Amino acid sequence: MNVLNNCEEYTLVTGASSGIGKEIAKEFAIRGRNLVLIARNKNALEELANQLNTNYKVNVLFVSIDLLEENASKSIYEWCKERNIKIQAIINNAGVGLFGEFHNLSVEKQISMIALNINSLVGLVHYFIPELKKRKKGYILNVASIAALYPLPYYSVYGATKAFVLSFTEALRHELRHSNITVSCLCPGDTDTNFFNNAGNTNQKKFLMPPENVAKVAVDSLLKNKSVIYPGNMKLISKIPRFILKKIIARRVSKYEL
Ligand SMILES: NC(=O)c1ccc[n+]([C@@H]2O[C@H](COP(=O)([O-])OP(=O)(O)OC[C@H]3O[C@@H](n4cnc5c(N)ncnc54)[C@H](OP(=O)(O)O)[C@@H]3O)[C@@H](O)[C@H]2O)c1
């Protein structure tokens, strides 16, 4: 790492090796923020770190770690503490989906997904809140999904993990409302990333948002202290009453039923 600026504070982004997380990292770099990038793919993290370091003159560190490892959140916290890396913002973006009928999907994979989408996020928030409190201003952005708002057949467990993230984040925002920490939840719709392929859903998607657009809205809105962030036309969807949304979704997913 070349030390390029004097700012001591860092933004930690999980799932920074691809998709929305990679673009969120870029958005912070554009705004002159130093970064700690987290994911498993070491080469992708190294390449992004070098690119952001060169292009935006920010300090970029990375930790290649599987967030499913026991005590991964604590290890990341200790890694930062040992190096006196002052974290100012936590972006909990790492997450996976699993597509298919609940009873036909591997239960081990579904439980791992719950561990990644929920446990690792809760762990990181828990360990880093005392750190963020030491900063003049602290930020937490948790990435849920528009699927947090309604039950999503064929992504039943995934959708439920994102409902957890939204509920948890809104409750935490209330608890921290008189503190220096801004807490926001990002609820993207379908976005053009590896997500669908990795989830085992190879159906062609019609409307996919570019991850760059999602990331820009996310970071701008976090810095403006928005509570729940709906990129693109997801804002309109969020206004539809839940009982109507459930009917729309049921009709939309009926194509998966033979
Ligand atoms: N794409 C969409 O349509 C969409 C819509 C709504 C919400 N989201 C949410 O957006 C977030 C980002 O997803 P994406 O769409 O950008 O997909 P993506 O490109 O597949 O990114 C997922 C990221 O999570 C990391 N990750 C996965 N498993 C991990 C593990 N065990 N340990 C550490 N890191 C891990 C991946 O890195 P490594 O593989 O290198 O570990 C990657 O950087 C997820 O929380 C997802 O649920 C996506």
Side-chain angles (χ1 to χ4, degrees), residues 34-256:
N34 300 319
L35 288 154
V36 177
L37 311 176
I38 309 281
R40 291 167 302 184
N41 186 333
K42 185 168 180 275
N43 291 341
L45 292 179
E46 191 164 20
E47 194 182 316
L48 180 64
N50 288 335
Q51 188 194 325
L52 299 181
N53 188 242
T54 308
N55 293 350
Y56 305 107
K57 316 291 177 223
V58 290
N59 307 325
V60 188
L61 309 172
F62 63 90
V63 184
S64 162
I65 185 170
D66 186 340
L67 288 167
L68 289 172
E69 274 175 25
E70 210 182 337
N71 296 323
S73 303
K74 193 174 182 196
S75 305
I76 293 169
Y77 168 75
E78 283 170 353
W79 187 91
C80 293
K81 197 95 182 122
E82 279 157 18
R83 288 160 184 78
N84 196 25
I85 295 163
K86 296 186 171 66
I87 298 294
Q88 183 198 28
I90 298 285
I91 314 300
N92 274 304
N93 160 79
V96 291
L98 271 178
F99 172 73
E101 286 178 297
F102 168 73
H103 67 279
N104 284 331
L105 290 170
S106 141
V107 73
E108 289 79 13
K109 281 190 181 168
Q110 303 208 54
I111 288 170
S112 281
M113 175 174 62
I114 295 170
L116 178 66
N117 295 4
I118 296 180
N119 300 6
S120 72
L121 176 149
V122 170
L124 279 172
V125 169
H126 183 82
Y127 286 113
F128 278 102
I129 282 178
E131 273 303 300
L132 299 186
K133 282 194 170 172
K134 291 180 198 160
R135 308 286 95 83
K136 191 161 176 242
K137 193 88 195 71
Y139 299 91
I140 297 172
L141 177 67
N142 291 334
V143 179
S145 164
I146 193 71
L149 302 184
Y150 47 79
L152 188 56
Y154 306 99
Y155 278 106
S156 59
V157 176
Y158 171 74
T161 66
K162 294 302 180 178
F164 176 99
V165 173
L166 177 59
S167 170
F168 167 64
T169 308
E170 289 193 282
L172 189 67
R173 179 180 171 89
H174 184 86
E175 287 183 26
L176 294 174
R177 71 192 182 286
H178 298 308
S179 78
N180 62 325
I181 305 176
T182 288
V183 184
S184 302
C185 190
L186 174 65
C187 291
D190 292 353
T191 306
D192 195 4
T193 69
N194 301 330
F195 175 85
F196 296 102
N197 273 339
N198 291 342
N201 182 351
T202 50
N203 296 299
Q204 203 63 38
K205 293 269 166 199
K206 276 197 191 132
F207 306 107
L208 291 169
M209 268 192 91
E212 302 88 317
N213 296 13
V214 172
K216 183 169 185 339
V217 173
V219 176
D220 283 345
S221 306
L222 172 70
L223 298 177
K224 285 182 190 149
N225 193 17
K226 290 269 156 50
S227 166
V228 185
I229 304 161
Y230 297 104
N233 57 13
M234 293 305 112
K235 183 90 191 157
L236 286 175
I237 292 180
S238 74
K239 301 277 181 222
I240 301 173
R242 195 168 186 269
F243 76 97
I244 298 177
L245 256 182
K246 275 169 71 174
K247 285 188 185 158
I248 296 172
I249 297 301
R251 206 168 305 145
R252 208 180 148 198
V253 301
S254 63
K255 63 185 174 205
Y256 304 133

